Amino acid sequence: MLDFQFPVLDETEIQELLSVFETDHQVASQSGSEDTNPPVCSTDERKRKRMISNRESARRSRWRKKKHLENLSNEVNRLLVQNREYKHRLGSVTHQCHLVGRDNERLTYEYLALRTKLYDLYRILVTMQLQ
């Protein structure tokens, strides 16, 4: 999901990297000579390489953090839109529920009135039959 992007280097960092590559190239070209001992990097050289490595690691970490923050921000925006849609749907359903409740109440009263009329008609019919 994460896209790889090359880190942006400033001019001093580029010079430092070039010097590291140049020293590595010089060491590699000297390996064919009579000296068979591997070259030993000085303490300063190791510190400088480590510093460059740490800078790159920190840059990559900042980039990952930035991408993570962007992803979280996008997720928040998506959830806000979804929440707004749910609130709208809830309002519609609540309104429909209110309308159905009113219809139910009206129909209940109508049912009771018709049942009373039917009972009255039944009593009249029974009275007429007894006569």
Side-chain angles (χ1 to χ4, degrees):
M1 183 167 170
L2 291 176
D3 295 328
F4 177 77
Q5 292 183 352
F6 288 103
V8 178
L9 302 174
D10 62 21
E11 189 173 330
T12 48
E13 292 170 326
I14 292 172
Q15 292 301 323
E16 289 173 0
L17 284 173
L18 286 175
S19 68
V20 169
F21 290 130
E22 287 172 359
T23 52
D24 288 345
H25 179 68
Q26 290 171 357
V27 168
S29 65
Q30 290 175 358
S31 66
S33 67
E34 296 174 2
D35 187 13
T36 58
N37 292 335
V40 178
C41 292
S42 69
T43 308
D44 290 339
E45 184 68 21
R46 282 188 302 222
K47 285 182 183 178
R48 191 169 63 75
K49 286 181 179 180
R50 188 73 204 141
M51 182 180 67
I52 291 171
S53 175
N54 287 345
R55 284 182 183 169
E56 286 303 311
S57 178
R59 184 176 289 109
R60 287 189 304 269
S61 179
R62 287 189 302 271
W63 180 81
R64 284 191 305 269
K65 183 178 180 181
K66 179 183 172 189
K67 287 298 174 187
H68 183 64
L69 216 54
E70 288 173 3
N71 290 340
L72 289 176
S73 178
N74 291 339
E75 181 73 3
V76 165
N77 290 334
R78 185 187 66 77
L79 290 172
L80 286 172
V81 168
Q82 187 179 30
N83 191 33
R84 202 174 313 125
E85 289 171 0
Y86 286 157
K87 283 181 179 179
H88 176 72
R89 286 173 54 188
L90 178 62
S92 296
V93 168
T94 303
H95 179 70
Q96 286 293 76
C97 183
H98 178 69
L99 293 177
V100 168
R102 282 195 340 206
D103 282 348
N104 187 37
E105 189 176 328
R106 181 185 56 79
L107 290 171
T108 300
Y109 287 133
E110 188 176 325
Y111 159 75
L112 292 174
L114 290 173
R115 190 174 87 174
T116 303
K117 284 183 181 180
L118 182 62
Y119 180 73
D120 290 344
L121 288 173
Y122 176 75
R123 281 189 3 199
I124 292 171
L125 183 62
V126 167
T127 307
M128 289 174 66
Q129 285 179 350
L130 290 177
Q131 290 177 358

